[in-house]
């Protein structure tokens, strides 16, 4: 058994983040679209939060969940992009050991929060369409706040052990992380010793979070579909479907790259490493940019307020 002191001594003072392996020369130019995406994400989500806060008529479940999504997107993009731009533009590749674990914690915690909020939004759509008369009583403001708190607590409680496990492990002399940010499996690969517990725990958390959320979202939409198809008029069906389109678009934007990133880390050996890293970056950048645009354009109350 290794003492805490010797474990602490075996931590490297810093790691080196490569950025996008194989595209080091192109990184300078790749940073420009990344920066534009980040600025749009910041402006869009801050605007959305300010509108929802200012308009009391928007203090209803759908918009409160949307505010949670915007806050989550701000944390996700800000925990990765400033450092990423530092790597691409300034060659600032060093990241301290504790800073790396902190970044890892925020990225994985708030990715899980995003997944949880999308699930809560599916529940909101189910209640709004299948139990319209009881919508206000079932999803009251205290209930919405409680759901948001549970989603955040779930992320913190599940991701924290992964960080503690890494903190207690000895690291080899290798300090280079072949990534643009401190991603869990990328850091685990630098551990000197048995990493099975960390790898298995990471898999468990990913399957538990995404699995349970995807099942709940699928169940919600199956029930919604049954109710909508039973509506008498085509107009009523169209109106019910149109309230779900924004949410379905956001779900696809979030889960498709997430699934790609997760699978390529474990089974996608044939996929070029630069492609994997680029998709992993876009997974943390595209949803924060697109969420406010999709909801802003498709939600009448928000569009009216913006225009």
């Amino acid at each position: 058994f290794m003492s805490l002191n010797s474990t602490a001594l075996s931590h490297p003072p810093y790691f080196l983040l490569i950025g996008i392996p194989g595209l080091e020369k192109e990184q300078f130019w790749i940073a420009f679209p990344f920066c534009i995406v980040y600025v749009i994400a910041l402006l869009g989500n801050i605007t959305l939060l300010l509108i929802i806060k200012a308009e009391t008529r928007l203090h209803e479940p759908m918009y409160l969940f949307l505010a949670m999504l915007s806050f989550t997107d701000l944390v996700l993009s800000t925990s990765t992009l400033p450092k990423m731009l530092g790597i691409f533009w300034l060659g600032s590749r060093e990241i301290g050991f504790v800073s790396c674990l902190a970044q890892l914690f925020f990225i994985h915690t708030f990715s899980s929060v995003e997944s949880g909020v999308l699930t809560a939004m599916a529940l909101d759509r189910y209640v709004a369409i299948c139990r319209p008369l009881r919508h206000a009583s079932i999803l009251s403001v205290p209930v919405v706040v409680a759901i948001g708190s549970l989603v955040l607590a779930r992320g913190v409680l599940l991701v924290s052990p992964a960080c503690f496990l890494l903190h207690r492990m000895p690291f080899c002399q290798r300090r280079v992380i072949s990534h643009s940010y401190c991603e869990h499996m990328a850091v685990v690969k630098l551990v000197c010793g048995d990493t099975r517990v960390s790898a298995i725990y990471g898999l468990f958390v990913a399957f538990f979070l995404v699995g349970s959320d995807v099942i709940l979202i699928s169940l919600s939409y199956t029930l919604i579909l049954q109710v909508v198809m039973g509506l008498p008029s085509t107009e009523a069906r169209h109106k019910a479907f149109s309230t779900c389109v924004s949410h379905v678009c956001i779900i696809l934007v979030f889960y498709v790259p997430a699934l790609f990133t997760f699978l390529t880390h474990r089974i996608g050996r044939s996929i070029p490493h630069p492609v994997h890293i680029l998709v992993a970056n876009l997974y943390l950048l595209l949803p924060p940019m697109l969420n406010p645009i999709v909801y802003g354009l498709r939600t009448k109350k928000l569009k009216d307020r913006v225009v």
Side-chain angles (χ1 to χ4, degrees), residues 186-241:
V187 178
V188 167
K189 285 173 182 174
L190 300 183
V191 169
C192 231
D194 192 353
T195 60
R196 278 178 301 178
V197 174
S198 269
I200 290 167
Y201 185 74
L203 265 175
F204 160 72
V205 170
F207 274 116
F208 175 74
L209 286 170
V210 177
S212 58
D213 288 348
V214 167
I215 288 166
L216 288 170
I217 289 169
S218 304
L219 186 62
S220 295
Y221 274 102
T222 303
L223 295 169
I224 286 169
L225 206 59
Q226 285 177 348
V227 169
V228 170
M229 296 314 288
L231 292 172
S233 71
T234 309
E235 191 183 341
R237 284 199 292 271
H238 181 265
K239 190 179 177 184
F241 273 132

Side-chain angles (χ1 to χ4, degrees), residues 68-69 72-73 75-76 79 103-120 147-161 201-202 204-214 217 254-255 258 283-284:
M68 291 178 198
L69 197 66
T72 304
D73 284 338
V75 175
L76 260 183
S79 61
Q103 189 187 52
L104 186 153
F105 171 79
F106 278 104
I107 289 167
H108 291 289
T109 297
F110 281 89
S111 292
S112 95
V113 169
E114 178 124 358
S115 181
V117 172
L118 289 173
T119 307
I147 290 171
S149 303
L150 280 172
V151 165
L152 179 60
R154 180 187 74 160
V156 171
L157 290 172
L158 284 172
V159 175
S160 295
Y201 185 74
F204 160 72
V205 170
F207 274 116
F208 175 74
L209 286 170
V210 177
S212 58
D213 288 348
V214 167
I217 289 169
F254 179 75
Y255 282 113
Y283 154 64
L284 294 180

Side-chain angles (χ1 to χ4, degrees), residues 19-75:
I20 306 172
L23 295 176
E24 286 87 351
K25 290 179 181 176
E26 293 83 4
Q27 282 179 176
F28 182 83
W29 302 108
I30 292 170
F32 285 97
F34 275 34
C35 185
I36 292 165
V37 167
Y38 180 53
V39 170
I40 294 169
L42 280 183
L43 292 174
N45 286 296
I46 290 169
T47 304
L48 212 57
L49 284 169
L50 292 174
I51 290 170
I52 293 168
K53 185 177 184 293
E55 287 282 335
T56 49
R57 69 196 180 104
L58 296 180
H59 293 177
E60 50 187 71
M62 178 182 167
Y63 300 102
L64 294 174
F65 285 132
L66 190 52
M68 291 178 198
L69 197 66
S70 285
F71 177 76
T72 304
D73 284 338
L74 284 171
V75 175

Side-chain angles (χ1 to χ4, degrees), residues 62-63 66 246 294-304:
M62 178 182 167
Y63 300 102
L66 190 52
S246 304
V294 169
Y295 272 98
L297 291 176
R298 288 205 52 87
T299 311
K300 191 177 184 303
K301 284 183 184 177
L302 284 174
K303 196 157 73 172
D304 293 347

